[in-house]
Amino acid sequence: FDEDTLAYIGRLDADRDEAILAAHGISLRPECLRVFRVCTMVLKKGAKAGLTPSQIAGILCREGLTRSVVEKLHSNAMHLAKMQQGALVSAGSPKECGVAMGTYMRHM
């Protein structure tokens, strides 16, 4: 990424973008919002660490039938967030499982 692109990526803010969408009458399902937040976070951290777009995509995409890196991180984050909050539900989005988005994102 060039310097301008890195600066743009650094300014991305999923909370702000969600608010802009909501202001225009667009609301995202909890599952979609989670993906939106995670992808924004992976892009920001990957770019800051000097990863190429291809390397960042490799974190987010599956190779064949195996789970992607981000899917594995999601499973781990859900498990840790549930343990932290004492949630006993076994699957679904953080909101559906009684796990706060902030707790989930801290473990991603």
Side-chain angles (χ1 to χ4, degrees), residues 15 18 30-31 33-34 37-38 74 76-89 91-108:
D15 291 328
E18 178 190 1
E31 304 85 15
L33 183 57
R34 181 187 69 226
R37 290 177 185 278
V38 169
H74 161 71
N76 189 49
M78 284 296 291
H79 174 73
L80 292 171
K82 287 178 194 177
M83 286 179 42
Q84 183 175 346
Q85 290 194 336
L88 300 175
V89 182
S93 73
K95 186 175 181 181
E96 292 167 348
C97 294
V99 176
M101 184 65 74
T103 302
Y104 167 80
M105 291 301 290
R106 277 193 297 282
H107 294 293
M108 280 299 290

Side-chain angles (χ1 to χ4, degrees), residues 21-96:
L21 291 171
H24 292 288
I26 301 169
S27 62
L28 299 176
R29 294 189 325 257
E31 304 85 15
C32 298
L33 183 57
R34 181 187 69 226
V35 170
F36 179 69
R37 290 177 185 278
V38 169
C39 289
T40 300
M41 179 193 68
V42 170
L43 175 60
K44 290 179 78 157
K45 289 185 179 215
K48 186 175 181 179
L51 299 180
T52 66
S54 179
Q55 290 169 319
I56 294 168
I59 294 168
L60 298 171
C61 296
R62 288 182 173 183
E63 291 252 352
L65 299 175
T66 61
R67 294 185 320 157
S68 69
V69 172
V70 81
E71 287 173 303
K72 293 173 187 173
L73 289 170
H74 161 71
S75 294
N76 189 49
M78 284 296 291
H79 174 73
L80 292 171
K82 287 178 194 177
M83 286 179 42
Q84 183 175 346
Q85 290 194 336
L88 300 175
V89 182
S90 64
S93 73
K95 186 175 181 181
E96 292 167 348

